Amino acid sequence: MAKILLLNGPNINMLGKREPGIYGDLTLETIEQQCIAQGEAVGIDVTCLQSNAEFVLIEAIQQAPEADVEYIVINPAAFTHTSVAIRDALLSVSIPFVEVHISNVHARETFRHHSYFSDIASGVIVGLGPAGYHYAMQTAIAHIQKDN
Ligand code: CA2
């Protein structure tokens, strides 16, 4: 069965619990369940991982080829603006990925305007709220269906 890896970075586990004005009121568990259901509907397995630790995300990316992951959807959260290490991990596995941001980072502080991922991503979804994950999943599914 084809696989999509859904990765979320630091503090995303707080979704739906704090700052609903910026990040909406859906919890991460709900978003993950919706993404899993979206995959199930077309026979694609979706593995979800959220971590506050950079090395955990890097290890999941490094293991993705062995796990037959064909596409990655990632919201690197604050690591977006800092992590050369996660960028290098994604480059090393050559698995296509979509970068998702719930908020419109370009309408926020200047330090959020730069991403270490956007130039190497297949696409970037910014500022569409939790629905951004749904659109990213659609992109991943379309890519897998085209290839298989
Ligand atoms: O808009 C996004 O999705 C971000 O990746 C979210 C990150 C932020 O550092 C990026 O600049 C943009 C922060 C995630 C924090 O998530 C929270 C969720 C609820 C309550 C508090 C934090």
Side-chain angles (χ1 to χ4, degrees), residues 11-12 14 18-19 23 75 77-78 81 101-103 105 112:
N11 298 306
I12 300 285
M14 299 303 286
R18 301 262 192 286
E19 302 190 66
Y23 299 114
N75 182 346
H81 320 297
H101 296 289
I102 300 165
S103 65
V105 286
R112 294 187 204 275

Side-chain angles (χ1 to χ4, degrees), residues 13-106:
N13 55 312
M14 299 303 286
L15 282 183
K17 298 170 186 160
R18 301 262 192 286
E19 302 190 66
I22 300 177
Y23 299 114
D25 53 15
L26 288 186
T27 63
L28 178 59
E29 290 73 19
T30 300
I31 292 169
E32 288 178 341
Q33 285 310 316
Q34 288 175 347
C35 291
I36 289 167
Q38 215 177 326
E40 258 170 18
V42 291
I44 294 175
D45 183 65
V46 180
T47 302
C48 303
L49 173 71
Q50 184 277 330
S51 182
N52 296 324
E54 198 172 21
F55 84 93
V56 174
L57 297 168
I58 291 168
E59 288 187 348
I61 294 165
Q62 287 180 353
Q63 288 157 13
E66 281 164 45
D68 294 324
V69 170
E70 291 181 35
Y71 212 96
I72 296 174
V73 173
I74 182 168
N75 182 346
F79 291 147
T80 305
H81 320 297
T82 63
S83 186
V84 175
I86 297 177
R87 175 190 171 95
D88 285 346
L90 285 164
L91 283 172
S92 76
V93 295
S94 301
I95 296 172
F97 73 93
V98 169
E99 173 186 356
V100 177
H101 296 289
I102 300 165
S103 65
N104 181 357
V105 286
H106 301 291

